[in-house]
Amino acid sequence: MRKGFFKILICISISGYAQVKTDSIQSIKLDEIILNPLRHEQPKRKLAQQIESISKTSIEFQNVPTIADVLANSGKLTVQKSQQGGGSPVIRGFEASRVLLVVDGVRMNNLIYRSGHLQNSITVDRNMLEKVDVLFGPSSTLYGSDALGGAVYFQTKAARLLSQTDHKKISGSAISNYSSVNESKSVHVDVNVAGKKWAGLSSASMNDWGDLKMGRQRNGSNAYFGERLFYVVTNNGLDQQVANNDKYLQKFSGYKQYDFMQKVLFQASSSLSHGLNLQYSTTSDIPRYDRLTDVSANGDLRSAEWNYGPQKRFLAVYKMAKDQLFRQTKMNIHLSYQNIEESRINRNFGSQNRNSRTEKVSVLGFSADFNSKINRGILTYGVDVYRDDLNSSAFQENIITGATSDLDTRYPDGQNSSLRAEGFVSYAASFNPELSYSLSARAGYSILKSEMDTNFLNLPFTAIEQRNTTYSGAFGLVNNATKNIKLSFNLASAYRVPNIDDLSKIFESTPGILIVPNEQIKPEKSVTADLGITIWNQRRFQFENVFYITKLYDPIRLDTFGFNGQNTIEYEGQTSVVYANQNQGKGHITGFMSVIKAEIFKSVLFEGTFNFTQGSIRNADGRAPLDHIAPLYGKVSLTYQSKKVMVEGYLLYNGKKDLKDYSPSGEDNLQYAPANGAPSWQTYNLKTALSIIKNTTIFSGVENILDIQYRTFSSGINAPGRNFYVGAKYVF
């Protein structure tokens, strides 16, 4: 690693940066105020929970395709991908439905968020973000169910009044990018119209990502892996497997995405504001790349088609903020509506029948929180209510005749709904200038109902109903022992209530494995203890270390299951082993994360991150590795910046995942890994930005300079090879 780091130093060249001031060196401080994800203002110096932030400047400078790639490039968490149009964040060994996604105060997780791998994060447009905050560790007292490993809070840009735009009535920006590794083209425009009391912000992004090229160079002494040797073409309804002229081109991995946002702000008075926030995201079909590479028993590719249909997300939020509701009390109210549509379209090689399954989810939400100053502390309290409804449909179409017929749905095809109503309270205060503490709690009630109108599998029941009382709590203690040392301790619990995906889906997880409903699942719970030690010297040096241990109770895991007295079922033309989600034993996760930042010279910042996680589960079968536990990983970077200059050279690295460390549940996707497990890898990258004309920024760089061929842990598609990119931003 040391040798690789010096290669970065040699590669660095100086280029220019635009007039937007960067935040990298300024981030060496603990007086930064964390607001939105905490629901109240709190300086980072007094936070017991670990929170890492990614600014708008950093997001723009990284110039990566999606927000999932922004998270991965931070070196502070990992991201799994089953296809190019994917990105499932992993925090402290938790992934998918065990990590909560929040956008502008509204939870994105809904009743069909699955426990395996998710691509929903990419529906948040990276170009419309003001900031991303990653909350590490249990966050249920803040946001409720699902935040076992942590939460990712997306904060979008705000509409600005005349007083906030230097009295410019119309302002905005335009951004365009091109990347060679997938011949991608993207365009973004946002326009702010400002008045004294009214403001509006309009935003649109269009992205076209072509097929992704993998690296061509062998990863150290490891064998080549994941090359695309064959693919399927269909002519006049006849499938044919053909050789790929370029085995490094991951054929049928490209897709398109369109994102829109409209915000309106009305400042009724100095203490009262009303806001409307509309967001819409949609895509073309997104090829499920890992499934397109599956091979059947006869050696041919198993699927002729396997796509996620257009992934659509609509969000409407009305927000009212009152600064002086009554004596030293602030109020925020959110009324939200979400409409989400996702679908799966697949057809086996040689078959004339195309299967289409569609899920439509609508979510109504109400959230109110209040902040009151009491003595030397802040009391935060409020309620969250969410109602989710699901409609699941399916049909089969003959690609030759166009005839359609009924097909079993992924989720029950009757009425499916969930309701969560919860209240929370927290208090943060100081014993003295050096010692502060926080106490928080949440309690509520959840109801889930699911009905099966038709019964393709002869289920022993036609309806599922669950009612659960939920609760969690947290205690934090922070001691700023000296001006240069911060000690923190945080003890927190979290919970995740089973959703429709846990309880009642019928789904072929991988070829030969069929998941069936199980109505006996209970909520899973966790308790985590964090110990943090931070050493810093004003703006020159910061060394943060966080050690954690998590106990997981009643974890929901996928395992073999007896269904109507049978262990196998005939499903879609083949015999499949029956699996179901079940509560099993106890889980144990330990790990630590270190972040070091040092201003080596004026305007030169060194930063390094290191993450290590270890997890296991103990059940009736003994002890086994826990799923979603990434191998050690991190980032080493050197950044130069001045008023108009910024350049970064960095190394991303990942350790080895041995076969013995893979979970037997199958969630780690061992079938998409090399024969000996996931090998270690590292990439070298160089990024610059140049200001050549007033208000104009030119971005350029090269990623994976050595063109290494590798695949991130549990992913089903190879990572990008050497990528040259160029972009431009114009501010008006």
Side-chain angles (χ1 to χ4, degrees):
M1 186 183 305
R2 181 179 300 173
K3 182 179 178 181
F5 173 67
F6 281 112
K7 287 183 180 180
I8 293 179
L9 299 183
I10 295 172
C11 289
I12 289 182
S13 62
I14 301 302
S15 191
Y17 188 45
Q19 299 169 17
V20 180
K21 198 172 184 180
T22 62
D23 62 75
S24 55
I25 290 180
Q26 292 181 352
S27 63
I28 303 181
K29 59 180 182 179
L30 291 183
D31 293 324
E32 175 187 0
I33 300 297
I34 304 296
L35 172 59
N36 288 320
L38 295 177
R39 296 185 152 182
H40 69 272
E41 293 183 359
Q42 187 82 338
K44 197 171 182 180
R45 180 189 295 273
K46 294 187 177 182
L47 288 181
Q49 183 175 10
Q50 181 188 9
I51 298 179
E52 300 291 338
S53 301
I54 306 172
S55 71
K56 176 181 68 174
T57 302
S58 179
I59 293 170
E60 291 178 351
F61 180 74
Q62 286 299 318
N63 209 94
V64 291
T66 69
I67 191 59
D69 299 294
V70 172
L71 295 172
N73 259 32
S74 72
K76 297 171 183 175
L77 65 166
T78 60
V79 172
Q80 183 276 349
K81 286 192 174 187
S82 296
Q83 62 279 335
Q84 185 178 192
S88 188
V90 183
I91 303 178
R92 293 188 176 183
F94 292 96
E95 187 188 344
S97 59
R98 295 173 177 88
V99 171
L100 183 66
L101 304 180
V102 182
V103 58
D104 292 334
V106 178
R107 55 180 291 136
M108 295 175 61
N109 295 43
N110 56 55
L111 79 174
I112 64 168
Y113 266 44
R114 55 190 181 274
S115 60
H117 313 289
L118 289 173
Q119 68 268 23
N120 300 73
S121 65
I122 70 169
T123 65
V124 180
D125 179 17
R126 72 192 187 285
N127 291 304
M128 70 183 187
L129 287 172
E130 185 69 29
K131 188 183 180 186
V132 178
D133 290 295
V134 182
L135 288 73
F136 291 84
S139 303
S140 285
T141 54
L142 283 170
Y143 292 106
S145 181
D146 302 357
L148 294 177
V152 182
Y153 190 104
F154 303 108
Q155 180 183 335
T156 63
K157 298 175 183 177
R160 297 181 298 164
L161 301 169
L162 273 176
S163 59
Q164 300 168 308
T165 62
D166 293 329
H167 298 282
K168 290 181 63 175
K169 291 185 178 180
I170 298 178
S171 60
S173 65
I175 303 174
S176 181
N177 298 292
Y178 171 81
S179 294
S180 65
V181 75
N182 54 7
E183 296 186 353
S184 69
K185 299 166 283 291
S186 64
V187 178
H188 167 80
V189 177
D190 60 74
V191 179
N192 187 86
V193 180
K196 291 183 178 180
K197 290 192 173 184
W198 289 87
L201 175 65
S202 303
S203 170
S205 295
M206 290 156 280
N207 300 278
D208 183 353
W209 294 290
D211 291 338
L212 183 66
K213 298 174 185 176
M214 69 180 76
R216 293 172 175 265
Q217 303 303 316
R218 192 168 64 175
N219 179 17
S221 60
N222 300 289
Y224 287 97
F225 178 76
E227 295 166 349
R228 182 79 146 129
L229 302 178
F230 300 95
Y231 61 91
V232 176
V233 294
T234 304
N235 292 312
N236 299 320
L238 180 65
D239 296 327
Q240 183 180 2
Q241 184 171 296
V242 300
N244 190 1
N245 292 330
D246 182 358
K247 62 182 180 180
Y248 303 109
L249 181 66
Q250 298 179 100
K251 197 73 174 177
F252 303 129
S253 59
Y255 72 104
K256 298 178 181 180
Q257 182 167 328
Y258 308 91
D259 299 281
F260 306 92
M261 183 176 74
Q262 178 64 56
K263 285 192 174 183
V264 178
L265 171 66
F266 173 54
Q267 191 74 39
S269 67
S270 60
S271 63
L272 177 64
S273 65
H274 302 270
L276 180 64
N277 180 356
L278 304 176
Q279 299 175 21
Y280 180 69
S281 175
T282 186
T283 68
S284 64
D285 284 354
I286 302 177
R288 174 74 187 267
Y289 183 81
D290 58 353
R291 291 302 186 87
L292 292 176
T293 63
D294 285 337
V295 178
S296 61
N298 62 9
D300 291 332
L301 293 173
R302 186 171 185 268
S303 296
E305 303 175 43
W306 215 119
N307 297 317
Y308 288 110
Q311 182 166 293
K312 303 175 183 179
R313 179 182 69 90
F314 173 73
L315 169 67
V317 186
Y318 162 73
K319 178 182 178 180
M320 181 174 68
K322 178 72 172 174
D323 283 346
Q324 296 294 332
L325 181 63
F326 49 86
R327 182 183 176 186
Q328 293 188 307
T329 296
K330 298 179 180 180
M331 176 187 70
N332 288 290
I333 290 179
H334 290 84
L335 291 172
S336 63
Y337 170 74
Q338 298 178 74
N339 190 285
I340 302 98
E341 179 179 328
E342 61 180 55
S343 55
R344 293 162 176 81
I345 305 164
N346 70 290
R347 182 173 62 83
N348 290 337
F349 182 84
S351 173
Q352 296 181 359
N353 296 319
R354 177 188 294 126
N355 301 325
S356 297
R357 294 178 172 89
T358 302
E359 326 307 329
K360 295 182 179 180
V361 178
S362 61
V363 184
L364 288 172
F366 170 79
S367 178
D369 55 75
F370 305 84
N371 296 294
S372 300
K373 289 186 178 181
I374 299 178
N375 298 325
R376 292 190 296 179
I378 299 177
L379 180 68
T380 303
Y381 50 99
V383 296
D384 290 323
V385 181
Y386 284 90
R387 161 76 187 220
D388 297 31
D389 288 279
L390 164 68
N391 176 268
S392 188
S393 60
F395 69 93
Q396 188 175 81
E397 178 186 15
N398 187 294
I399 62 172
I400 303 297
T401 66
T404 61
S405 58
D406 291 337
L407 183 70
D408 58 306
T409 55
R410 176 180 171 90
Y411 301 110
D413 55 352
Q415 296 291 320
N416 300 283
S417 65
S418 67
L419 175 66
R420 290 185 298 274
E422 300 166 334
F424 62 90
V425 60
S426 71
Y427 184 67
S430 299
F431 291 114
N432 54 54
E434 291 78 31
L435 188 62
S436 57
Y437 67 95
S438 61
L439 290 166
S440 59
R442 173 180 286 258
Y445 194 68
S446 67
I447 303 173
L448 182 145
K449 296 181 179 180
S450 180
E451 298 175 353
M452 298 80 167
D453 282 351
T454 59
N455 199 338
F456 282 83
L457 290 179
N458 189 29
L459 297 172
F461 46 82
T462 59
I464 293 176
E465 180 171 336
Q466 270 208 356
R467 297 173 180 267
N468 290 293
T469 300
T470 58
Y471 53 89
S472 64
F475 167 71
L477 191 64
V478 177
N479 180 22
N480 289 278
T482 71
K483 292 182 179 180
N484 305 110
I485 298 177
K486 171 190 170 184
L487 304 175
S488 61
F489 173 77
N490 194 52
L491 181 65
S493 65
Y495 60 88
R496 191 176 79 85
V497 177
N499 60 21
I500 293 291
D501 188 87
D502 296 306
L503 285 166
S504 52
K505 72 177 173 183
I506 303 170
F507 175 61
E508 184 189 45
S509 173
T510 57
I513 294 179
L514 181 68
I515 300 174
V516 299
N518 177 14
E519 60 180 341
Q520 302 300 322
I521 306 175
K522 300 181 294 183
E524 50 187 354
K525 302 167 284 292
S526 71
V527 176
T528 298
D530 284 25
L531 177 63
I533 304 173
T534 302
I535 303 171
W536 80 98
N537 180 14
Q538 299 299 324
R539 291 165 50 91
R540 301 298 300 274
F541 178 81
Q542 179 178 313
F543 186 33
E544 180 181 14
N545 301 274
V546 180
F547 306 84
Y548 56 88
I549 179 169
T550 297
K551 294 290 186 180
L552 185 61
Y553 301 94
D554 295 320
I556 298 174
R557 303 181 74 244
L558 197 62
D559 205 348
T560 54
F561 191 66
F563 187 75
N564 288 340
Q566 297 179 320
N567 295 321
T568 61
I569 290 179
E570 192 72 19
Y571 183 76
E572 292 192 352
Q574 77 169 33
T575 301
S576 296
V577 179
V578 178
Y579 276 68
N581 284 313
Q582 305 159 57
N583 295 105
Q584 288 192 347
K586 296 180 180 180
H588 178 88
I589 300 174
T590 58
F592 67 90
M593 175 179 176
S594 294
V595 179
I596 183 171
K597 301 175 184 179
E599 187 177 346
I600 300 176
F601 307 107
K602 184 178 180 181
S603 301
V604 177
L605 176 72
F606 168 81
E607 182 173 0
T609 64
F610 179 85
N611 300 268
F612 174 79
T613 312
Q614 191 174 55
S616 63
I617 185 169
R618 181 180 291 278
N619 54 25
D621 297 326
R623 185 181 292 273
L626 199 60
D627 43 21
H628 306 296
I629 305 297
L632 66 88
Y633 64 93
K635 178 179 180 179
V636 178
S637 68
L638 195 67
T639 304
Y640 172 83
Q641 75 166 33
S642 64
K643 186 176 181 181
K644 290 189 175 182
V645 174
M646 183 173 180
V647 60
E648 180 187 24
Y650 65 93
L651 163 73
L652 290 174
Y653 65 89
N654 219 275
K656 183 181 179 181
K657 183 81 169 183
D658 292 322
L659 291 177
K660 63 181 178 61
D661 296 324
Y662 274 77
S663 168
S665 70
E667 294 287 10
D668 289 344
N669 285 336
L670 183 58
Q671 72 273 26
Y672 298 124
N676 296 319
S680 61
W681 55 264
Q682 58 187 25
T683 64
Y684 303 98
N685 312 269
L686 178 67
K687 298 188 174 182
T688 66
L690 171 66
S691 177
I692 54 176
I693 307 174
K694 183 180 179 181
N695 298 332
T696 301
T697 307
I698 302 297
F699 300 96
S700 63
V702 54
E703 299 168 312
N704 192 1
I705 294 173
L706 301 183
D707 202 25
I708 296 300
Q709 184 183 96
Y710 70 101
R711 179 172 291 193
T712 57
F713 166 65
S714 78
S715 293
I717 185 171
N718 277 18
R722 184 186 295 119
N723 177 43
F724 295 95
Y725 71 84
V726 62
K729 177 181 180 180
Y730 177 71
V731 179
F732 58 88

